[in-house]
Amino acid sequence: MSKPLDYDNINENVKKCQYAVRGELYLRASELQKEGKKIIFTNVGNPHALGQKPLTFPRQVIALCQAPFLLEDPNVGLLFPADAIARAKHYIAMTSGGLGAYSDSRGLPGIRKEVAEFIQRRDGYPSDPELIFLTDGASKGVMQILNTVIRGESDGVLVPVPQYPLYSATISLLGGSLVPYYLEETANWGLDINNLHQSVAQARYKGITVRAMVIINPGNPTGQCLSVANLKEILKFCYQENLVLLGDEVYQQNVYQDERPFLSSKKVLMDMGGPISRELQLVSFHTVSKGYWGECGQRGAYFEMTNIPPKTVEEIYKVASISLSPNVPGQIFLGLMVNPLKPGDISYERFVRESKGILESLRRRAQIMTDGFNSCRNVVCNFTEGAMYSFPQIRLPPRAIEAANQAGKVPDVFYCLKLLEATGISTVPGSGFGQKEGVFHLRTTILPAEEEMPAIMESFKKFNDGFMDQYEDHTGYSRM
Amino acid sequence: MSKPLDYDNINENVKKCQYAVRGELYLRASELQKEGKKIIFTNVGNPHALGQKPLTFPRQVIALCQAPFLLEDPNVGLLFPADAIARAKHYIAMTSGGLGAYSDSRGLPGIRKEVAEFIQRRDGYPSDPELIFLTDGASKGVMQILNTVIRGESDGVLVPVPQYPLYSATISLLGGSLVPYYLEETANWGLDINNLHQSVAQARYKGITVRAMVIINPGNPTGQCLSVANLKEILKFCYQENLVLLGDEVYQQNVYQDERPFLSSKKVLMDMGGPISRELQLVSFHTVSKGYWGECGQRGAYFEMTNIPPKTVEEIYKVASISLSPNVPGQIFLGLMVNPLKPGDISYERFVRESKGILESLRRRAQIMTDGFNSCRNVVCNFTEGAMYSFPQIRLPPRAIEAANQAGKVPDVFYCLKLLEATGISTVPGSGFGQKEGVFHLRTTILPAEEEMPAIMESFKKFNDGFMDQYEDHTGYSRM
């Protein structure tokens, strides 16, 4: 007799969801690593895992918050600067019982206030702490909002393709329908509003009620930064179609070009004024995992709700209560991110040096990687304008596709597995993010250490040359 | 036109779920606190919020892990003992990039190994790290397992009544059916196996497939510790009925009597031997939030799977991947809990002094509270054998019930609100946990500081006397 947790008996939605970032490639990479092979994990935006050092000041503050008895030690000044000590006291005073006590399920009121002040400084419009919830990483927030939106199979969510698979996986898990809209690779992964209209029309034809739209800005895996004009079109579109907009803005600090600085969906919405600015429902996400922080393991994030009615906010609060509270240290990291040091603070110069160093290096790495990919045979790659990824298109020769089919693999999975085995570079196949039929990509982060980057690109090029040699038919004769 | 996140349009399962621990009473208490009233928050098992000091050693270790640059500072020995320094190095070496890097989605392999060793020492049976997943608090683990089990409305989960509302809320959220089984208040909240059979029969009659059973041992809110005989009956019952057993064992360190020390479901299952021990599907939960740790805000926990097939474990892993990784500092707290200091370690004596102090005081507080309640008019209360709660029955006079009905309140909510307004004691009404028809309770934690306990019980008694005076009809005449 088969048992409740036997594979055949479990929730089908659990089985349906796919999460390529930690899928077949990652599992194989982990195996190879166990066998002693050197693996370069570029499958996930995890900067510290690739050697990025944490910023010193926030770590000093959090260490003191975790060990508040140090504040009474006469030697504390030997190890910690005065501004870190002051800031630790500031955050401890916000808790009710230190870092070991559950906070309010929405997060500590004091930190939510600091987030609201940050948003207000950034956008030039008021922000209400009561509409800001802190979460264990942005993913948890996205999942909670989608859970509020999705009522069943006929509820659709517009998701960019290629997309970060958090969205597809969560929609599957919640039993909703993903409605894809395609980004235009030839237009630097721009968003064409006509595609959106088409996607909605097609979904409606299938009986799907489109209720929400996701944008990722800057883009993951595609790296593009949306223009103001594009954002306005999107907002209008959501308003016309009566959609709630989910603005995934976790890469807002990661911008590597100067023409289109980051602008939040909320700011653009407020700039538009009129009924849309008072009515369009918007939820925006941000985190300490990205930017020059890269504090992924701390799981600190927030979402801000705009034009969401109080009764719904209450329901979201209630559901957040079931898991009691987001982790408190992660909340404090978030506080430190949104309320950074100011000129004149003792640790200010060091903080600026560290953070500028990281961002400038990321900018250079984005360039090295794009150039590297574009110098490879059958590889074309848009410049990484923002975020942490490069998403080159690999033009796989027909014989490679055939070989992949014979091996029972999706062609880009086949390519990425071979790349992994040959070089130790652990990427994610484009099929994990979605791509147009017959077109293949891979995603890699731009996070390997700058000094290692040339060797990595060299190693990639060598592999790719060999692969193309093997599968490309220059002569008209097939080679074995 | 109504919008996607307007209350009327959101997911009905979100609306359906109830979570009383942070419900009406908690919200009112928060309001009163804002107005300046002194509130004693006994609604949630949050020890540090009521003044319990964190254990020193783990906080020293985590501070060093967060600020690893301190390990290179020549002055580090002035603030940190050598064993904390050594342990910090031990955990940092387990990460791949420190606390700021995502770990494997199941948690750090090194910590999962320490958890397995702890379980093996505790139970005397092998434990496999591959079947142990770390989570952001035990609630998140419970939610993940229930999400794997529940496929739809006709899937039922047996849950004790009274129960911790995590279970009822999660089952609602996931669209499953709660199948209640009643604990026997007159038998010290014992579990009568006949009730279980009846509950399953009734559920089947309604077309529900019962697929899982939850036990909370020691009990929340009821505080009972299950006997070996009882655990064996439960395991046999689950085996016969083909149920997966969820063993909520987060209070395993909180036992205040000596007759029935804590025994894990896994140990009892393994002791039974034979096919049941190789076949019964069991998932057990534990956390750093309870015990003498009380590190609720850190969100560190694990679950261990027994007899769950590898393909299902893979699916659970995949779903865990969607939110990337549990917070890493919380994982290290868990490591510290399962791998505590040993005799001879520099910090050992202090650690023992601190932890014993907390546990012995909790034991005394359990007694003070039980005695206090039992000395009150129309109040009867079982002794808190374990966990962190007292769950007295309040025999509400008919006129109080009538007054509650007139006020549009559930009678125990009415009572608890009046208690809150009069004394600042913030409890949770029994109806939030479930109780038999016409019987009323409240739940309070036993966590207020020991020295404040007599005054709190005094204040409760005074309120209760007044309440009973007002609503009890001694004379046969009704009073206004």
Side-chain angles (χ1 to χ4, degrees), chain A residues 37-339:
Chain A
K37 189 172 172 77
K38 197 200 158 201
I39 302 295
I40 304 153
F41 281 102
T42 69
N43 59 302
V44 55
N46 194 6
H48 293 200
L50 291 168
Q52 183 179 307
K53 291 266 169 302
L55 301 168
T56 305
F57 180 73
R59 291 299 192 97
Q60 289 169 329
V61 174
I62 203 79
L64 288 167
C65 289
Q66 285 283 17
F69 41 82
L70 295 179
L71 296 168
E72 266 123 66
D73 194 299
N75 291 316
V76 68
L78 295 174
L79 285 169
F80 295 91
D83 50 3
I85 293 170
R87 192 64 86 89
K89 289 179 181 165
H90 165 79
Y91 285 122
I92 291 170
M94 280 186 188
T95 66
S96 46
L99 276 59
Y102 293 126
S103 70
D104 186 279
S105 306
R106 297 165 297 185
L108 293 164
I111 304 233
R112 291 159 64 217
K113 189 162 161 278
E114 293 192 347
V115 172
E117 288 160 358
F118 155 78
I119 294 172
Q120 185 151 349
R121 279 196 311 277
R122 184 194 67 187
D123 293 345
Y125 293 99
S127 168
D128 180 356
E130 294 296 303
L131 300 176
I132 292 163
F133 283 25
L134 312 189
T135 54
D136 286 310
S139 309
K140 286 279 159 68
V142 167
M143 293 168 99
Q144 217 200 321
I145 297 300
L146 286 175
N147 192 26
T148 313
V149 169
I150 295 172
R151 301 162 304 185
E153 223 180 326
S154 63
D155 277 352
V157 180
L158 273 167
V159 172
V161 172
Q163 56 109 24
Y164 175 51
L166 161 66
Y167 295 97
S168 48
T170 304
I171 293 166
S172 293
L173 196 61
L174 296 170
S177 289
L178 185 145
V179 180
Y181 66 91
Y182 288 90
L183 301 175
E184 286 304 326
E185 185 162 15
T186 51
N188 226 13
W189 295 117
L191 188 164
D192 182 346
I193 210 82
N194 295 319
N195 287 353
L196 280 177
H197 284 287
Q198 270 177 26
S199 296
V200 168
Q202 278 172 20
R204 291 229 172 98
Y205 183 75
K206 290 184 201 159
I208 290 169
T209 312
V210 182
R211 286 169 51 78
M213 172 172 177
V214 173
I215 56 172
I216 312 175
N217 181 35
N220 174 5
T222 41
Q224 83 286 10
C225 297
L226 294 176
S227 67
V228 182
N230 220 183
L231 278 165
K232 278 189 184 165
E233 282 183 313
I234 293 165
L235 290 161
K236 269 188 213 157
F237 171 80
C238 288
Y239 190 56
Q240 282 160 4
E241 299 289 341
N242 199 22
L243 311 179
V244 52
L245 181 64
L246 274 62
D248 179 338
E249 301 177 338
V250 299
Y251 296 102
Q252 60 188 266
Q253 289 178 320
N254 299 99
V255 174
Y256 313 121
Q257 44 74 38
D258 303 314
E259 297 75 42
R260 286 185 303 288
F262 171 77
L263 284 177
S264 76
S265 304
K266 169 136 182 249
K267 178 184 170 42
V268 175
L269 178 64
M270 292 301 136
D271 281 348
M272 287 167 83
I276 187 173
S277 71
R278 294 185 302 272
E279 293 177 19
L280 183 81
Q281 298 184 331
L282 167 69
V283 186
S284 311
F285 302 87
H286 194 16
T287 179
V288 301
S289 301
K290 311 300 170 185
Y292 43 84
W293 290 70
E295 291 279 10
C296 302
Q298 313 281 356
R299 316 310 288 121
Y302 75 81
F303 60 83
E304 184 196 23
M305 295 171 277
T306 304
N307 297 326
I308 311 293
K311 276 186 79 176
T312 299
V313 174
E314 268 174 40
E315 293 295 312
I316 295 171
Y317 182 13
K318 182 184 70 184
V319 172
S321 300
I322 303 173
S323 26
L324 295 162
S325 88
N327 87 81
V328 177
Q331 298 182 41
I332 292 175
F333 270 101
L334 189 71
L336 285 157
M337 181 179 81
V338 297
N339 184 7

Side-chain angles (χ1 to χ4, degrees), chain A residues 1-7 9-12 14-19 21-22 26-27 34 44-46 48-49 55-56 59-60 62-63 65-70 73 75-76 78-80 96-105 130 136 139-140 143 145 147-151 164 166 169-170 173 211 239 242-244 279-281 283 289-290 294-299 308-309 311-312 315-319 321-329 333, chain B residues 1-7 9-12 14-19 21-22 26-27 34 44-46 48-49 56 59-60 62-63 65-70 73 75-76 78-80 96-105 130 136 139-140 143 145 147-151 164 166 169-170 173 211 239 242-244 279-281 283 289-290 294-299 308-309 311-312 315-319 321-329 333:
Chain A
M1 187 174 178
S2 111
K3 299 198 162 39
L5 282 183
D6 286 357
Y7 181 78
N9 281 339
I10 64 174
N11 182 354
E12 285 297 324
V14 163
K15 293 188 213 169
K16 262 186 229 158
C17 68
Q18 298 297 331
Y19 193 72
V21 172
R22 300 219 164 172
Y26 170 74
L27 296 174
K34 265 196 191 161
V44 55
N46 194 6
H48 293 200
L55 301 168
T56 305
R59 291 299 192 97
Q60 289 169 329
I62 203 79
C65 289
Q66 285 283 17
F69 41 82
L70 295 179
D73 194 299
N75 291 316
V76 68
L78 295 174
L79 285 169
F80 295 91
S96 46
L99 276 59
Y102 293 126
S103 70
D104 186 279
S105 306
E130 294 296 303
D136 286 310
S139 309
K140 286 279 159 68
M143 293 168 99
I145 297 300
N147 192 26
T148 313
V149 169
I150 295 172
R151 301 162 304 185
Y164 175 51
L166 161 66
T170 304
L173 196 61
R211 286 169 51 78
Y239 190 56
N242 199 22
L243 311 179
V244 52
E279 293 177 19
L280 183 81
Q281 298 184 331
V283 186
S289 301
K290 311 300 170 185
E295 291 279 10
C296 302
Q298 313 281 356
R299 316 310 288 121
I308 311 293
K311 276 186 79 176
T312 299
E315 293 295 312
I316 295 171
Y317 182 13
K318 182 184 70 184
V319 172
S321 300
I322 303 173
S323 26
L324 295 162
S325 88
N327 87 81
V328 177
F333 270 101
Chain B
M1 190 178 177
S2 111
K3 300 199 161 39
L5 284 182
D6 285 357
Y7 181 78
N9 280 339
I10 64 173
N11 183 354
E12 284 297 324
V14 164
K15 293 188 214 170
K16 261 186 231 159
C17 67
Q18 299 296 333
Y19 193 72
V21 172
R22 299 219 165 172
Y26 170 73
L27 297 175
K34 266 195 192 163
V44 54
N46 194 7
H48 293 201
T56 306
R59 290 300 191 99
Q60 288 168 329
I62 203 78
C65 289
Q66 285 283 17
F69 41 80
L70 294 179
D73 194 299
N75 291 317
V76 67
L78 295 174
L79 285 169
F80 295 92
S96 47
L99 275 59
Y102 294 125
S103 70
D104 186 279
S105 306
E130 295 296 304
D136 287 310
S139 309
K140 286 278 160 68
M143 292 168 100
I145 297 300
N147 192 24
T148 313
V149 169
I150 295 173
R151 301 163 304 185
Y164 175 52
L166 161 66
T170 304
L173 197 60
R211 285 169 52 76
Y239 189 58
N242 198 23
L243 310 180
V244 52
E279 293 177 19
L280 183 79
Q281 299 185 331
V283 186
S289 301
K290 309 300 170 187
E295 290 279 9
C296 301
Q298 314 280 359
R299 315 311 287 121
I308 311 293
K311 277 186 79 176
T312 299
E315 293 295 312
I316 295 171
Y317 182 13
K318 181 184 72 183
V319 171
S321 300
I322 304 174
S323 27
L324 295 162
S325 87
N327 88 82
V328 176
F333 270 101

Side-chain angles (χ1 to χ4, degrees), chain B residues 174-433:
Chain B
L174 297 170
S177 290
L178 186 147
V179 180
Y181 65 90
Y182 288 89
L183 301 176
E184 286 303 329
E185 184 161 17
T186 50
N188 225 12
W189 296 116
L191 189 163
D192 182 347
I193 210 81
N194 295 320
N195 286 354
L196 281 177
H197 284 287
Q198 270 177 25
S199 296
V200 169
Q202 278 173 18
R204 292 229 171 98
Y205 183 75
K206 291 185 201 161
I208 289 168
T209 312
V210 182
R211 285 169 52 76
M213 173 172 176
V214 173
I215 57 172
I216 311 174
N217 180 36
N220 174 5
T222 40
Q224 84 286 12
C225 297
L226 294 176
S227 67
V228 183
N230 220 186
L231 277 166
K232 278 189 184 165
E233 283 183 311
I234 293 165
L235 290 162
K236 268 189 215 157
F237 171 80
C238 288
Y239 189 58
Q240 284 160 3
E241 300 289 341
N242 198 23
L243 310 180
V244 52
L245 180 64
L246 275 62
D248 179 337
E249 301 176 339
V250 299
Y251 297 101
Q252 60 189 265
Q253 290 178 318
N254 299 98
V255 174
Y256 314 120
Q257 44 73 38
D258 303 316
E259 298 75 41
R260 284 184 305 289
F262 171 77
L263 285 177
S264 76
S265 303
K266 169 135 183 250
K267 179 184 170 43
V268 175
L269 178 64
M270 292 300 136
D271 282 348
M272 288 166 82
I276 187 172
S277 71
R278 294 185 302 271
E279 293 177 19
L280 183 79
Q281 299 185 331
L282 167 68
V283 186
S284 310
F285 302 87
H286 194 18
T287 180
V288 302
S289 301
K290 309 300 170 187
Y292 43 84
W293 290 70
E295 290 279 9
C296 301
Q298 314 280 359
R299 315 311 287 121
Y302 76 80
F303 60 84
E304 185 196 23
M305 296 172 277
T306 304
N307 298 326
I308 311 293
K311 277 186 79 176
T312 299
V313 174
E314 268 174 42
E315 293 295 312
I316 295 171
Y317 182 13
K318 181 184 72 183
V319 171
S321 300
I322 304 174
S323 27
L324 295 162
S325 87
N327 88 82
V328 176
Q331 298 182 40
I332 293 176
F333 270 101
L334 189 71
L336 286 157
M337 181 180 83
V338 296
N339 184 7
L341 287 163
K342 288 172 187 62
D345 292 337
I346 304 165
S347 303
Y348 178 73
E349 273 182 42
R350 179 178 194 167
F351 183 80
V352 170
R353 195 170 61 243
E354 289 175 350
S355 53
K356 265 183 95 168
I358 293 166
L359 270 186
E360 283 170 3
S361 167
L362 281 172
R363 188 186 265 247
R364 288 190 298 269
R365 282 180 269 173
Q367 198 63 61
I368 294 170
M369 213 159 216
T370 310
D371 292 348
F373 282 129
N374 281 321
S375 77
C376 290
R377 210 157 111 198
N378 295 341
V379 178
V380 284
C381 186
N382 283 320
F383 175 60
T384 301
E385 300 177 346
M388 291 183 170
Y389 311 97
S390 185
F391 197 64
Q393 184 183 143
I394 316 290
R395 297 192 168 139
L396 295 177
R399 291 213 301 118
I401 296 172
E402 204 176 291
N405 291 341
Q406 271 170 22
K409 301 276 177 205
V410 176
D412 55 8
V413 174
F414 179 79
Y415 179 90
C416 291
L417 277 171
K418 288 210 172 283
L419 171 66
L420 172 67
E421 308 273 347
T423 65
I425 304 173
S426 163
T427 60
V428 187
S431 50
F433 306 91

